[in-house]
Amino acid sequence: MKNVLPYINEHKDRFLNELIELLKIPSISADSAYKENVLETAKKIKSSLENAGCDHVEICHTEGYPIVYGEKTIDADLPTVLVYGHYDVQPPDPMELWDSPPFEPKIKKTELHPDGAIFARGSCDDKGQMFMHVKAMEFMTATDQLPCNVKFMIEGEEEIGSKSLSDFVKENQEKLKNDVILISDTGMIANDVPSITTGLRGLSYVEVEITGPNRDLHSGLYGGAVANPINILAKMIASLHDENNHITIPGFYDNVEELSNEERAEMAKAPFSIEEYKKSLDIDAVYGEDGFSTNERNSIRPTLDVNGIWGGYTGEGAKTVIASKAYAKISMRLVPHQDWTEITELFSKHFKSIAPKGVTVKVTPHHGGQGYVTPIDNKGYRAASKAYEQTFGKTPIPQRSGGSIPIVALFEEELKSKTILMGFGLDSDAIHSPNEHFGIWNYLKGIETIPWFYKYFTEMSQ
Ligand code: BES
Ligand code: MN
Ligand code: MN
């Protein structure tokens, strides 16, 4: 690979401005009010792939939001890299906590990003990271150095469960045939500690509804005499963890893969400061399952968390009322070998079984997906590792992440290829939160590193 840095230096202002234009469109997949914006974003991605040198780009319509597909084939005997990313973003609320509007990108310096970071919803997750691949492609085609075939598949429903993409993948196995899948939609340990994500957690997301009396009641006239759905829901939720913070659902841990002491010792080598961790979150103690470290709790162990809980009166002042219904949204992060549909069943059965007489329980599963782990003794990982060595001057650390990209397990099942997760974001970049940002250094470093992956992967395949 020649002239990566000179090319980036020459074009970096444009690279930044093009990303900023993309970030201005509120492509919020969860909220149908933004439908036109999501569709407009897909069109913009299509033209950016054309400009980056793809021979053929199409917008593939689905029952939901479209998938932008692009490809460039230079020689059928050479390997094919399939790049996946998503152009949809999370809703930005709560709006009042943003220091600048989420869809008016602003560059600001931070302690971890002294060269500046772009503040906008989607800057890190995943428009910024996805766009690094488009710009790396531009570099390789513009300088005549693309070493292999490339396919791009950029979807617009990742943040709502990738439903249309699963169907698309199942129906288009030939079209999507590849030798390795490359994704930048995760993070790395620190700018001076490169890492490659080797695992993702699975997910089961459910909503529960507790119904008591047939209508809201006066809490004086009926209080104490009927089951209060909110009290009951709180009690039921509290019982889902024991005093050691183990999850109490029978069978929940049956298939959990236990890591060997050696593997755990290897994991513990990754640089991590518990003091800085607490400081960055303004907490005086960490909390979690007994017997596991913070980094184990958030990666190799399954969890159960309430994401939202509501019911009754939450307006101004006081209203004396016993609500007829109470609700909660609950997510379970799963580890490899835990099957998300089985876990959803176990949850549902258990949750109904612990309800007292006097209430009824409804459990509605939302989306879910399987976890993923990839070994590090394959071509894809080795090529990625060499690419980081080239541009960071250090060997990256393999690291399992706590987040989920459910489609990755499906890729392996349907397309039979390994996924390499080259993430360039930091945990502190506030994805899904107010003030999401992405370091300009990280953005450019990604563009610089990706072409080396192509080069080494192609060499190793020959
Ligand atoms: N890019 C994230 C997942 C992620 C982030 C993995 C950082 C590892 C490190 C993705 O967009 C995401 O938010 N996934 C959801 C699941 C999805 C089904 C809504 C998640 O993890 O909550
Ligand atoms: Mn993402
Ligand atoms: Mn996300």
Side-chain angles (χ1 to χ4, degrees):
M1 273 302 144
K2 286 197 302 275
N3 294 326
V4 193
L5 279 175
Y7 191 90
I8 292 176
N9 278 330
E10 193 185 334
H11 298 279
K12 68 178 177 210
D13 291 342
R14 178 173 55 82
F15 286 178
L16 209 56
N17 289 332
E18 287 174 0
L19 174 57
I20 285 172
E21 287 309 307
L22 204 58
L23 291 168
K24 285 183 184 167
I25 319 174
S27 50
I28 307 166
S29 51
D31 187 343
S32 57
Y34 294 89
K35 186 171 175 197
E36 288 311 313
N37 298 114
V38 184
L39 297 173
E40 185 195 341
T41 309
K43 283 191 199 138
K44 256 192 125 79
I45 307 280
K46 176 174 186 270
S47 50
S48 64
L49 284 173
E50 284 160 352
N51 295 338
C54 284
D55 292 334
H56 164 75
V57 187
E58 60 186 307
I59 290 193
C60 305
H61 295 282
T62 70
E63 273 176 32
Y65 285 121
I67 293 154
V68 188
Y69 176 82
E71 62 181 30
K72 185 173 180 71
T73 304
I74 55 173
D75 182 343
D77 291 332
L78 285 168
T80 300
V81 175
L82 173 69
V83 176
Y84 162 81
H86 62 95
Y87 64 83
D88 64 323
V89 302
Q90 284 277 326
D93 58 276
M95 290 295 270
E96 65 278 12
L97 295 182
W98 284 79
D99 296 331
S100 53
F103 299 105
E104 293 172 28
K106 205 171 159 189
I107 295 173
K108 280 177 273 187
K109 293 190 166 126
T110 73
E111 209 182 309
L112 292 176
H113 297 297
D115 295 342
I118 315 169
F119 282 75
R121 170 58 86 231
S123 54
C124 180
D125 183 12
D126 177 43
K127 284 175 177 165
Q129 296 214 67
M130 173 271 293
F131 210 62
M132 296 180 316
H133 289 268
V134 181
K135 293 298 103 181
M137 171 79 174
E138 176 198 306
F139 159 74
M140 290 184 288
T141 57
T143 60
D144 225 0
Q145 298 188 82
L146 182 69
C148 60
N149 308 312
V150 190
K151 294 176 178 173
F152 279 87
M153 178 169 66
I154 314 296
E155 71 152 320
E157 295 183 344
E158 196 277 341
E159 300 292 7
I160 52 170
S162 301
K163 169 80 185 64
S164 305
L165 185 70
S166 339
D167 298 338
F168 184 79
V169 170
K170 287 176 193 156
E171 288 157 17
N172 290 282
Q173 296 189 341
E174 196 49 40
K175 184 188 185 100
L176 301 175
K177 214 165 166 274
N178 66 79
D179 296 281
V180 70
I181 298 171
L182 186 59
I183 305 181
S184 295
D185 193 22
T186 54
M188 60 179 187
I189 295 176
N191 284 3
D192 57 353
V193 188
S195 58
I196 298 176
T197 304
T198 52
L200 294 162
R201 285 196 283 193
L203 179 71
S204 163
Y205 200 110
V206 298
E207 184 164 332
V208 299
E209 178 189 295
I210 307 288
T211 306
N214 60 6
R215 60 194 161 88
D216 289 7
L217 302 172
H218 188 287
S219 68
L221 295 183
Y222 291 91
V226 295
N228 175 334
I230 302 178
N231 291 8
I232 301 288
L233 176 61
K235 224 171 164 169
M236 288 168 70
I237 287 173
S239 79
L240 295 175
H241 290 93
D242 69 11
E243 66 283 8
N244 300 316
N245 278 316
H246 284 293
I247 295 156
T248 55
I249 301 169
F252 187 84
Y253 291 99
D254 279 2
N255 296 320
V256 168
E257 164 203 50
E258 302 287 343
L259 266 65
S260 67
N261 287 339
E262 277 158 3
E263 283 172 299
R264 291 178 69 184
E266 197 53 43
M267 262 191 84
K269 284 189 192 154
F272 176 73
S273 154
I274 194 84
E275 288 313 315
E276 273 171 38
Y277 186 81
K278 290 193 287 191
K279 203 171 134 227
S280 74
L281 299 174
D282 281 327
I283 49 175
D284 58 6
V286 293
Y287 187 88
E289 188 182 1
D290 275 9
F292 294 93
S293 69
T294 294
N295 275 337
E296 290 174 336
R297 288 170 180 168
N298 69 25
S299 64
I300 60 164
R301 298 300 294 168
T303 59
L304 183 151
D305 278 293
V306 178
N307 293 239
I309 181 163
W310 71 103
Y313 184 69
T314 55
E316 199 181 327
K319 179 188 178 192
T320 49
V321 66
I322 291 176
S324 162
K325 286 177 187 287
Y327 307 84
K329 291 186 193 277
I330 296 173
S331 68
M332 287 162 278
R333 294 283 167 171
L334 310 175
V335 296
H337 308 316
Q338 279 183 300
D339 179 83
W340 79 273
T341 54
E342 247 169 56
I343 292 290
T344 305
E345 266 306 301
L346 290 179
F347 173 90
S348 181
K349 208 170 129 215
H350 176 67
F351 206 66
K352 287 175 185 158
S353 80
I354 58 174
K357 286 207 172 93
V359 298
T360 54
V361 179
K362 196 166 121 194
V363 178
T364 311
H366 282 280
H367 52 69
Q370 314 295 29
Y372 182 72
V373 259
T374 173
I376 60 173
D377 59 353
N378 61 73
K379 261 191 314 219
Y381 187 90
R382 286 202 304 274
S385 185
K386 276 189 80 172
Y388 283 85
E389 278 167 30
Q390 180 77 38
T391 60
F392 285 77
K394 284 181 185 172
T395 305
I397 298 174
Q399 192 204 29
R400 275 168 67 167
S401 170
S404 308
I405 312 177
I407 202 72
V408 172
L410 189 102
F411 286 159
E412 178 153 281
E413 202 179 304
E414 298 290 331
L415 305 176
K416 314 278 180 245
S417 45
K418 292 265 169 265
T419 291
I420 304 301
L421 298 155
M422 292 174 69
F424 292 87
L426 302 182
D427 280 356
S428 52
D429 285 347
I431 62 170
H432 293 207
S433 303
N435 303 314
E436 174 178 353
H437 54 281
F438 188 37
I440 294 172
W441 184 89
N442 302 66
Y443 177 55
L444 299 175
K445 203 69 180 169
I447 301 172
E448 182 192 342
T449 308
I450 291 162
W452 293 102
F453 172 85
Y454 282 75
K455 175 183 152 70
Y456 293 131
F457 186 77
T458 307
E459 284 174 9
M460 287 177 193
S461 302
Q462 262 140 22

